[in-house]
Amino acid sequence: MSTLKEQLRTDLTAAMKARDELVKATLRMTLTAIGNAEVAGTKARELDDAEIIKVITKEAKKRAESAEAFAAAGREELAAQERAEGEVLARYLPAQLSDDELAAIARTAVEETAAELGEQPGPRQMGQVMKKATAAAAGRAEGGRVAAAVKALLVP
């Protein structure tokens, strides 16, 4: 079993003992999502920590989108609940990159792609640059932020 999954289960047990309903419910939903991901496909398998982080990131993104939708609909109490769940999930995610760190990663990806192509990449090569930048960011930045940083560096 992966160490992150063990940590989630340990924290769930601690939340149950402390009668912390928010953490308990959030971790149960997350462990269920991880279990669903493990049995998805043709063959059941154990997820590693990197794959579990992807599942947690996806769950956190769902919470952020739900909070935004509830706030727009004037349901502030539900939006606050979703934000609180997102904060619980954020504890298990790697620290997000700063804008400067993200710009450096994007610059490196553009330079590597330019070296491969023999010319400065333009908007048509954005996919190639994004592939390198996304791999380097490795879940520490949202795809939209990575795309914006890359797009700013591409020559039209």
Side-chain angles (χ1 to χ4, degrees):
M1 185 183 306
S2 74
T3 56
L4 184 55
K5 191 172 177 182
E6 287 175 22
Q7 181 65 45
L8 288 167
R9 288 204 170 129
T10 303
D11 291 351
L12 174 60
T13 303
M16 291 170 136
K17 288 178 181 175
R19 299 189 191 283
D20 188 341
E21 293 300 319
L22 172 69
V23 174
K24 181 175 79 169
T26 304
L27 293 181
R28 275 188 172 160
M29 282 189 280
T30 304
L31 285 166
T32 300
I34 292 168
N36 288 341
E38 287 177 335
V39 297
T42 57
K43 192 169 150 186
R45 63 191 180 88
E46 189 82 19
L47 297 181
D48 62 12
D49 280 350
E51 292 169 316
I52 289 174
I53 286 175
K54 286 181 183 177
V55 173
I56 295 172
T57 302
K58 189 175 178 183
E59 291 296 310
K61 188 174 181 182
K62 284 182 191 176
R63 300 305 184 286
E65 290 171 354
S66 296
E68 198 175 293
F70 283 134
R75 301 292 307 268
E76 203 50 50
E77 69 284 352
L78 292 174
Q81 171 76 18
E82 294 291 330
R83 284 189 207 101
E85 289 179 3
E87 289 171 11
V88 170
L89 293 175
R91 297 177 200 166
Y92 301 97
L93 295 173
Q96 294 294 299
L97 293 171
S98 69
D99 290 338
D100 294 337
E101 293 170 322
L102 188 56
I105 287 174
R107 211 173 3 269
T108 303
V110 168
E111 290 167 3
E112 288 174 5
T113 306
E116 288 175 9
L117 296 173
E119 63 183 17
Q120 195 63 20
R124 297 179 110 188
Q125 288 82 27
M126 184 164 176
Q128 294 171 319
V129 178
M130 278 295 294
K131 188 174 185 179
K132 293 178 187 318
T134 304
R140 296 177 294 156
E142 283 185 7
R145 286 184 61 212
V146 175
V150 167
K151 196 177 247 183
L153 297 174
L154 294 179
V155 178

